[in-house]
Amino acid sequence: MSPPTSPPTSSPPAPQPPTSSPSIPQPSTSPPTSSPPTSQQPTSPPPTAQPPPTSPSPTVQPPTSSPTSPPPSPDAGQKLRVGYYIGKCARYVDVEAIVRKHVSQADAGIKAGLIRLFFHDCFVRGCGASVLLDPTTANPQPEKLGVPNFPSLRGFEVIDAAKAELEAACPGTVSCADIVAFAARDASSLLSRDRVGFAVPAGRYDGTVSLAGETIPNLPPPFADAARLERMFAAKGLDAADMVALSGAHSVGRSHCSSFSGRLAPPGSNASGSDMDPVLAARLKAACAASANNNSTDGTVAQDYRTPDELDSQYYRNVLDRKVLFASDAALNAAGTASLVRFFANVPWAWQFRFGEAMVKMGRVEVKTAANGEIRKACRLVNSKAGSREHGMPASSSNFAIIL
Ligand code: HEM
């Protein structure tokens, strides 16, 4: 198999002014009077999940089996339940505690990767763990090899380890999609020192279709302007306020230089390549040049220059100060979203609460049920193909990345 291409390197198009103004709820500085973050139930209306675009990119080889699956049930996301796994196993197993144990053993970078994994899973064919499927002979180009995912997406091994322990303790019961959702929640609370805490409704099934060609049409690129971001979130039933709240995840983790190099001035030039703070831009340029000199073709830098391993509202301060990496981050300063950015920058607990709400809402996108999904035995392979060399065995016997 030929290696997939690296993250997008094309220069960003000139930002366009937003074409619509989002409906941002009126910021209030009083704390929520209803359920606290740790036991919160979603209060937002159900997302109107849309079917994802079906046209794969021309570079993607279609799988030999049909990519179609039974039609999604539109209200499946609303039927998820907090505490779903209580009493589901033959003996007592604390499913969520097992996931949390594995997440807590990961380093801060992998924890950040787990938050992003959930986003990338939910935005492509819904929260059905399709992002976890490895390439096989039948499907050599699954989602995880799509340009936005490879090679930057990380955290897969944590999901594998949690799934292995759960399969041993409670076989055939806990979906990979739910493990991804629990892991993202646990990573959020661990990286925020428990300031972000929310209950995760569960009961998702795992999807059986995964296509690299569906990643670019569904995942917003880092050069997206405000209007494009809003459109792509709206396609998943998420509004502009959800989008602003979720973007706070960019207060942790890293980015490859190729994801923002279009915003830096060209080498040797003192001119600014964007509205990025010039001091930050110079620092990023130096860091990326240093990694290039170290034979790393695409270096990485922290997303939050100030508190890189803390999931906090510093991100919004960075947006206001123009000290963010992506045009998509800077785009939140657009007229329609700027007031919410200021609010979250000034009232950290409001963002912590709203981030949890938006994560729960995102977790309801295009959820699979028993009618159109399965509980995978191993998160990297669909069951129906497991054990068949023709259809199901991974293209590599151990880690697919080795052969790429
Ligand atoms: C608003 C549109 C978004 C865009 C355009 C975007 C784009 C990106 C890009 C380009 C990276 C760097 C990848 C790399 O080069 O290594 C990244 C990292 C990350 N994103 Fe986003 N993202 C968006 C929204 C989100 C959302 C909604 C979440 C989660 C709720 C999220 C969580 C993260 C995290 C945690 C990282 C760091 C991952 C790591 O360190 O492995 N992003 N994002």
Side-chain angles (χ1 to χ4, degrees), residues 277-354:
D277 172 80
V279 175
L280 179 68
R283 205 189 293 173
L284 292 173
K285 229 161 81 173
C288 290
S291 57
N293 289 340
N294 283 341
N295 280 342
S296 159
T297 45
D298 193 2
T300 58
V301 300
Q303 298 221 69
D304 179 348
Y305 78 102
R306 202 119 192 232
T307 53
D309 292 336
E310 231 176 281
L311 185 67
D312 57 15
S313 59
Q314 174 67 36
Y315 169 78
Y316 300 97
R317 180 58 50 200
N318 295 348
V319 171
L320 294 173
D321 294 345
R322 308 199 179 279
K323 291 182 177 172
V324 281
L325 300 183
F326 310 134
S328 57
D329 296 319
L332 301 187
N333 271 323
T337 44
S339 63
L340 193 54
V341 169
R342 274 195 302 277
F343 178 60
F344 286 155
N346 292 325
V347 192
W349 65 258
W351 168 73
Q352 289 151 8
F353 180 76
R354 195 63 185 79

Side-chain angles (χ1 to χ4, degrees), residues 192-253:
S192 67
R193 286 179 289 144
D194 281 339
R195 293 206 165 92
V196 171
F198 54 96
V200 173
R204 299 168 186 80
Y205 279 66
D206 298 321
T208 55
V209 178
S210 177
L211 297 169
E214 293 184 345
T215 54
I216 287 179
N218 287 286
L219 290 165
F223 50 80
D225 61 24
R228 183 169 181 174
L229 288 172
E230 277 176 44
R231 264 198 319 273
M232 294 189 83
F233 275 75
K236 304 298 166 188
L238 300 171
D239 60 29
D242 298 320
M243 180 184 86
V244 175
L246 288 167
S247 296
H250 285 180
S251 67
V252 289

Side-chain angles (χ1 to χ4, degrees), residues 36-49:
T38 44
S39 61
Q40 124 197 16
Q41 294 295 313
T43 52
S44 324
T48 48

